[in-house]
Amino acid sequence: MRTLIRVDRVIDGSGARPLAKGAVLFEGARILAVGRAADIGVPEGARVIDTASGSTLIPGLCDAHVHLAYSGDTDARAFRAEHAELSYAAVALRAAAYARSTLLAGFTSVRDMHAPGGTVIDLRNAVDAGQLAGPRIKACGRGLCVTGGHMDQPGWADHVLFRDMTAPCDGPIGFRKGVREQIKRGADFIKLNTWVSCSGKEGRYWRPEMADDEIRSIIPGVIKPVRDARGAVKIRVTVPTQNGWKAIALAAGARQELFVSTALAQPELEQ
């Protein structure tokens, strides 16, 4: 069934000025027309939704860095207490509620950058299957870092051990295994923590975590070279910081040239 939404303003995402007295016609998941309500008219049999006065319709938003599995509490003790009490099933159920809230806030696509136990990978599958309401999710599973690194926080007692909460890796073989484990679990991409923020010294805001040989060891398994029209080889990677891109470039032997594209796309490094 076709649906027509009529609204005071339509922003189509192209960079053009907002369209006054606009309308969007769609059927299922396919947009059929965007334009002025007077030009589109009312197709026969279409359901018409007239929005409240002053409303604006925009394309779905994308959030390229989310953690649906976490509450967002920045207190370290609260964070540890939360994960000592919640099972992964409970984490997944809460993540489903967060995903629904995210969708209702206008975000139709998100990229989840770490979650324990495959919880968000399974949430992604449930959303894709139509079992739950939520945005389109791209998930890395667990982010890879060195032992005690950014995604493997300290602070636990010596006797405490969690299964599949983080993915600490050490050495080239350890990181290769980490990549294979996340791919096996169903990850859409691999997250590397090559660098981490550092506020302990004035003027030094980042510090490296991964060694060059660790970065180089996973490049053949994760990064797929693409040759452009000029014959130059470009590499797509996923690292959460600008200095992370530089670390990848240097370790891979690429030039320090970063080709930064939009939101969910990744910078490219030219060899």
Side-chain angles (χ1 to χ4, degrees), residues 163-230:
R163 187 180 66 190
D164 297 335
M165 189 171 80
T166 60
C169 305
D170 295 292
I173 294 176
F175 272 95
R176 282 188 177 183
K177 181 180 179 182
V179 168
R180 290 166 179 162
E181 287 176 342
Q182 298 316 304
I183 292 174
K184 176 182 177 181
R185 188 62 179 84
D188 294 302
F189 62 95
I190 300 298
K191 176 183 176 181
L192 303 179
N193 289 276
T194 55
W195 288 57
V196 68
S197 58
C198 176
S199 57
K201 184 178 180 181
E202 183 67 26
R204 183 186 180 191
Y205 305 105
W206 304 92
R207 61 177 173 82
E209 284 195 344
M210 291 179 65
D212 285 357
D213 63 337
E214 293 172 328
I215 296 172
R216 281 194 295 267
S217 72
I218 66 168
I219 288 174
V222 179
I223 302 172
K224 292 180 171 53
V226 177
R227 193 171 296 277
D228 67 10
R230 299 173 301 156

Side-chain angles (χ1 to χ4, degrees), residues 44-227:
E44 183 178 355
R47 179 171 65 114
V48 178
I49 299 175
D50 287 313
T51 61
S53 177
S55 297
T56 300
L57 187 65
I58 65 173
L61 301 173
C62 299
D63 193 332
H65 194 137
V66 302
H67 293 283
L68 293 172
Y70 298 115
S71 67
D73 197 322
T74 58
D75 180 77
R77 291 195 174 196
F79 177 85
R80 288 194 291 270
E82 173 182 301
H83 288 278
E85 295 173 357
L86 292 178
S87 67
Y88 289 159
V91 169
L93 289 170
R94 186 180 65 180
Y98 289 162
R100 185 176 186 277
S101 297
T102 299
L103 179 63
L104 293 177
F107 290 84
T108 55
S109 298
V110 300
R111 185 176 64 171
D112 193 273
M113 298 294 281
H114 175 85
T119 50
V120 173
I121 290 175
D122 290 341
L123 173 60
R124 174 205 65 197
N125 294 343
V127 171
D128 289 349
Q131 299 166 352
L132 294 170
R136 295 191 275 294
I137 298 171
K138 295 295 184 183
C140 72
R142 289 175 288 152
L144 306 185
C145 73
V146 298
T147 296
H150 176 61
M151 303 297 291
D152 187 40
Q153 297 289 335
W156 304 96
D158 292 341
H159 63 278
V160 176
L161 178 65
F162 290 91
R163 187 180 66 190
D164 297 335
M165 189 171 80
T166 60
C169 305
D170 295 292
I173 294 176
F175 272 95
R176 282 188 177 183
K177 181 180 179 182
V179 168
R180 290 166 179 162
E181 287 176 342
Q182 298 316 304
I183 292 174
K184 176 182 177 181
R185 188 62 179 84
D188 294 302
F189 62 95
I190 300 298
K191 176 183 176 181
L192 303 179
N193 289 276
T194 55
W195 288 57
V196 68
S197 58
C198 176
S199 57
K201 184 178 180 181
E202 183 67 26
R204 183 186 180 191
Y205 305 105
W206 304 92
R207 61 177 173 82
E209 284 195 344
M210 291 179 65
D212 285 357
D213 63 337
E214 293 172 328
I215 296 172
R216 281 194 295 267
S217 72
I218 66 168
I219 288 174
V222 179
I223 302 172
K224 292 180 171 53
V226 177
R227 193 171 296 277

Side-chain angles (χ1 to χ4, degrees), residues 227-240:
R227 193 171 296 277
D228 67 10
R230 299 173 301 156
V233 175
K234 294 186 176 182
I235 302 170
R236 295 189 181 275
V237 293
T238 300
V239 183

Side-chain angles (χ1 to χ4, degrees), residues 23-47:
V24 175
L25 177 67
F26 66 93
E27 185 173 15
R30 187 176 181 82
I31 295 175
L32 304 177
V34 178
R36 296 187 183 280
D39 296 335
I40 296 176
V42 180
E44 183 178 355
R47 179 171 65 114

